[in-house]
Amino acid sequence: MHAFGITAYQQPLTRMEVAEPVVGPHDVLVDVEAAGLNHLDEKIRAGEFKAILPASLPLVLGHDVAGTVLQVGTDVRAFAVGDRVYGRPARPGTFAERVAVAEADLAPVPASLGMAEAAALPLVSLTAWQVLVERGRVQPGQKVLVHAGAGAVGSVAIQLAKHLGAHVATTASGDGLALVRELGADVVVDYRTQDFAAQLSGYDLVLDSLGGDNLTRSLGVLRPGGRAIGIAGPPDPAFARQAGLNPLLRLAVAGLSSKVRRQARRAGVSYEFLFMHASGEQLREITALVEAGTLRPPTVEAFDLGRTPEALAALAEGRVRGKAVVTR
Ligand SMILES: NC(=O)c1ccc[n+]([C@@H]2O[C@H](COP(=O)([O-])OP(=O)(O)OC[C@H]3O[C@@H](n4cnc5c(N)ncnc54)[C@H](OP(=O)(O)O)[C@@H]3O)[C@@H](O)[C@H]2O)c1
């Protein structure tokens, strides 16, 4: 079958012929109708993770899928042939005609969504869920700063934080300013003309998706004991442990975030890195929120599957408005 992947790091995404997926007892074979593109695909292509999370090449990329069930493994209980499913499989491979995914990583597509919209949701909505619910345990009345609110993660995070009852501030620019207000943000900071660090204080949680100086300055908006959860890095020792890295790599990874963790400690707050994980169970919660009208997916910019390399290049160069999705 046709697929898109890499044969070497830092080379362009290329079309390749690969074997049909092997369907294990707990797997569901999905006919891929739409696949979302994520910065993770570009970062893997560029070799950014090869020291920490090496992949065996050639590798089919793609971390989001929406499609119809073609076949189920002998032990699959939750899905049947013909079901509309979506998910973020634990391993990449959705830029292909078909993909085998563990049933535990899938959920039913929200009835109100088409396949392209559904494929825009899994990775970014699970990220927002894991920052705000699983890790952050956001409570009603808490103050949450969501950076890059007009982005794919940010737009879902604003809606979810509002649903959890939080007071939400966000950073955005240009057309994004109107979008984030529409999504429910209480305080909107135009990052091109205003300084969020000078305007905001007393926040319980910051979702940082930019890293660097943005992360460092975010520590200053937290109340004592507040938490900055970063998804753009730097990675922390807990991540290195979870990833099963050897002691030398663990030390190296810890070193990447030692400065910001020290700065956080001195300020009486904390910094932690989050690398999202697959979860069909959490995605079912997302499905329910979409069906209830509480959550809507990012706006989709659709490309034909054949244009996957072009779509990934557009994403990497910041030329996509909304969420890039390839469809068949
Ligand atoms: N660790 C994880 O598990 C995980 C999971 C998901 C994503 N991520 C990472 O999170 C980042 C965001 O992902 P995404 O899919 O949401 O990206 P995206 O959809 O491309 O969003 C990027 C957004 O960043 C905004 N932006 C750029 N500079 C900004 C600044 N200085 N202040 C505030 N906003 C700014 C842009 O707003 P304008 O258009 O208004 O300029 C744009 O809306 C990526 O680095 C991705 O790799 C990590």
Side-chain angles (χ1 to χ4, degrees):
M1 66 173 182
H2 305 314
F4 287 90
I6 50 169
T7 51
Y9 290 119
Q10 294 176 352
Q11 294 304 309
L13 198 63
T14 49
R15 188 182 170 114
M16 46 179 68
E17 284 299 313
V18 297
E20 285 292 329
V22 176
V23 183
H26 296 283
D27 291 342
V28 167
L29 182 66
V30 182
D31 185 30
V32 180
E33 289 169 57
L37 282 80
N38 289 283
H39 291 283
L40 180 57
D41 297 304
E42 172 58 15
K43 289 176 182 178
I44 293 175
R45 187 203 65 77
E48 281 187 33
F49 292 126
K50 68 180 174 191
I52 301 179
L53 305 169
S56 72
L57 302 175
L59 177 71
V60 177
L61 288 176
H63 292 81
D64 274 324
V65 64
T68 306
V69 175
L70 288 173
Q71 185 188 331
V72 294
T74 48
D75 294 340
V76 168
R77 297 290 170 263
F79 301 102
V81 171
D83 285 354
R84 283 161 33 99
V85 294
Y86 74 145
R88 185 285 203 216
R91 286 181 305 282
T94 65
F95 297 160
E97 292 178 279
R98 287 167 288 283
V99 65
V101 185
E103 74 166 327
D105 297 345
L106 292 170
V109 168
S112 51
L113 296 189
M115 289 297 190
E117 283 179 299
L121 262 178
L123 188 142
V124 296
S125 64
L126 289 170
T127 304
W129 183 277
Q130 288 162 19
V131 170
L132 299 173
V133 179
E134 186 178 65
R135 222 28 118 84
R137 297 200 170 84
V138 169
Q139 301 299 315
Q142 285 194 322
K143 290 168 73 173
V144 174
L145 167 59
V146 173
H147 277 296
V153 173
S155 64
V156 176
I158 290 173
Q159 299 174 77
L160 187 56
K162 286 305 297 176
H163 170 68
L164 296 169
H167 169 91
V168 179
T170 193
T171 50
S173 78
D175 297 344
L177 296 168
L179 170 70
V180 297
R181 284 195 187 96
E182 198 195 324
L183 294 175
D186 300 292
V187 178
V188 177
V189 180
D190 182 341
Y191 70 81
R192 294 231 167 97
T193 58
Q194 298 170 299
D195 178 9
F196 73 87
Q199 290 192 22
L200 309 175
S201 62
Y203 277 72
D204 296 280
L205 183 83
V206 176
L207 191 180
D208 174 69
S209 50
L210 293 149
D213 185 46
N214 196 77
L215 170 60
T216 310
R217 292 191 310 116
S218 293
L219 301 176
V221 315
L222 291 167
R223 64 159 170 81
R227 298 163 75 184
I229 302 183
I231 60 169
D236 63 3
F239 165 76
R241 266 196 311 278
Q242 277 160 23
L245 303 184
N246 68 45
L248 205 63
L249 270 177
R250 275 196 213 181
L251 212 62
V253 165
L256 295 174
S257 58
S258 61
K259 186 172 170 204
V260 68
R261 285 184 289 115
R262 201 166 47 245
Q263 287 168 324
R265 263 197 310 278
R266 282 198 193 121
V269 300
S270 67
Y271 165 71
E272 60 203 274
F273 175 68
L274 182 141
F275 191 74
M276 63 82 56
H277 60 87
S279 171
E281 197 182 325
Q282 293 175 352
L283 202 53
R284 284 174 189 271
E285 307 260 12
I286 304 289
T287 294
L289 291 177
V290 173
E291 290 183 340
T294 304
L295 202 69
R296 68 174 212 228
T299 315
V300 165
E301 184 169 341
F303 297 79
D304 289 337
L305 179 64
R307 291 176 62 212
T308 308
E310 203 180 307
L312 191 63
L315 175 74
E317 289 159 18
R319 288 186 279 111
V320 178
R321 291 307 301 175
K323 179 85 187 162
V325 171
V326 291
T327 56
R328 279 173 67 205

